[in-house]
């Protein structure tokens, strides 16, 4: 079953002075149709204290709610899918466990990662890092537009029709060059939620992708 995948995926994260709930609300008010809740610092009770109201916000605004990891919470809130950051995540087994109604995305750092996840049934692939990210610290070398061009050449030959989403330190100034590589869309976090006007930053990103 082919899933709806949004071209602009907004990712919440832990930042001082702006809760995950507020981030989701502001993004949805600005037009977001895809919220990825990413929090790896809280226990289950604290996670649900975020996820349940975020799910309500997403429902009010018609947005898809994706949760990073935490698949054990699938029946405890109105979650539409999960994003798995382990490049070797058993996507096929997880989809069988959760059911076909859930959207499942995976993270890839190489073309081989992307092919493996696609063949396992990932509904979309977050590929990166494009640049150094302040949201997700990693020792992986930034790929730049050249890395995405190489991936898309590989994808045209070996990948099933799986949307590729660029991730990692992306700013509005990067969007045109990234989209020229042939990717489906982008994910953004700090360039939006740490902007002086978060809503305006989201709208700028959205306009550049349309």
């Amino acid at each position: 079953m082919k899933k709806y995948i949004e071209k602009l995926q907004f990712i919440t994260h832990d930042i001082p002075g702006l809760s995950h709930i507020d981030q989701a609300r502001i993004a949805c008010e600005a037009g977001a149709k895809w919220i990825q809740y990413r929090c790896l610092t809280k226990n289950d009770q604290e996670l649900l204290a975020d996820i349940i109201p975020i799910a309500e916000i997403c429902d009010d605004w018609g947005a898809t709610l994706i949760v990073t990891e935490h698949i054990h919470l699938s029946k405890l809130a109105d979650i539409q899918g999960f994003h798995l950051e382990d490049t070797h995540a058993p996507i096929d087994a997880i989809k069988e466990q959760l059911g076909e109604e859930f959207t499942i995305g995976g993270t890839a750092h190489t073309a081989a990662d992307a092919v493996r996840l696609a063949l396992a049934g990932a509904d979309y692939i977050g590929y990166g890092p494009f640049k150094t990210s302040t949201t997700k610290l990693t020792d992986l070398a930034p790929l730049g537009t050249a890395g995405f061009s190489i991936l898309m050449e590989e994808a045209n030959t070996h990948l099933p029709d799986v949307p590729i989403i660029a991730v990692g330190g992306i700013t509005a100034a990067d969007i045109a060059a990234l989209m020229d590589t042939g990717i489906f869309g982008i994910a953004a976090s700090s360039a939006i939620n740490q902007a002086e006007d978060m809503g305006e930053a989201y709208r700028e990103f959205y306009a550049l992708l349309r």
Side-chain angles (χ1 to χ4, degrees):
M1 181 172 69
K2 195 172 182 64
K3 306 293 179 56
Y4 165 76
I5 308 297
E6 170 62 19
K7 286 182 176 290
L8 176 53
Q9 301 184 1
F10 172 67
I11 306 175
T12 72
H13 72 274
D14 297 337
I15 55 175
L18 194 63
S19 71
H20 289 266
I21 297 169
D22 285 339
Q23 292 172 54
R25 176 183 54 77
I26 295 169
C28 284
E29 288 174 351
K33 295 303 178 187
W34 184 286
I35 302 293
Q36 181 180 329
Y37 173 79
R38 184 180 189 274
C39 182
L40 307 177
T41 61
K42 298 180 179 182
N43 62 36
D44 285 358
Q45 183 177 359
E46 293 168 329
L47 290 168
L48 288 170
D50 279 345
I51 293 171
I52 290 172
I54 290 174
E56 293 173 353
I57 292 168
C58 288
D59 185 58
D60 287 344
W61 290 92
T64 296
L65 173 58
I66 303 294
V67 173
T68 304
E69 308 297 344
H70 309 306
I71 62 172
H72 61 290
L73 303 178
S74 62
K75 299 185 187 312
L76 301 180
D78 187 14
I79 299 166
Q80 282 75 58
F82 293 89
H83 186 87
L84 307 172
E85 296 189 339
D86 179 359
T87 58
H88 293 278
I91 299 285
D92 45 0
I94 290 169
K95 294 190 78 168
E96 184 175 354
Q97 171 190 341
L98 294 179
E100 187 58 34
E101 67 269 24
F102 286 92
T103 298
I104 305 296
T107 294
H109 306 303
T110 66
D113 291 338
V115 170
R116 180 171 57 252
L117 291 170
L119 293 177
D123 295 305
Y124 71 94
I125 294 170
Y127 195 77
F130 171 65
K131 293 191 301 192
T132 300
S133 170
T134 59
T135 303
K136 182 179 176 183
L137 300 179
T138 176
D139 293 330
L140 295 165
L143 296 168
T145 52
F148 280 87
S149 295
I150 291 169
L151 170 70
M152 296 313 296
E153 289 174 7
E154 184 80 5
N156 290 335
T157 304
H158 299 293
L159 275 179
D161 184 21
V162 178
I164 302 295
I165 305 296
V167 301
I170 298 167
T171 66
D174 301 316
I175 292 176
L178 268 170
M179 296 305 291
D180 282 347
T181 68
I183 61 169
F184 181 80
I186 67 164
S189 187
S190 59
I192 292 176
N193 62 21
Q194 295 186 39
E196 184 173 344
D197 184 328
M198 182 181 157
E200 181 57 33
Y202 181 89
R203 287 187 288 271
E204 179 184 11
F205 269 66
Y206 186 87
L208 290 168
L209 280 168
R210 292 301 185 271

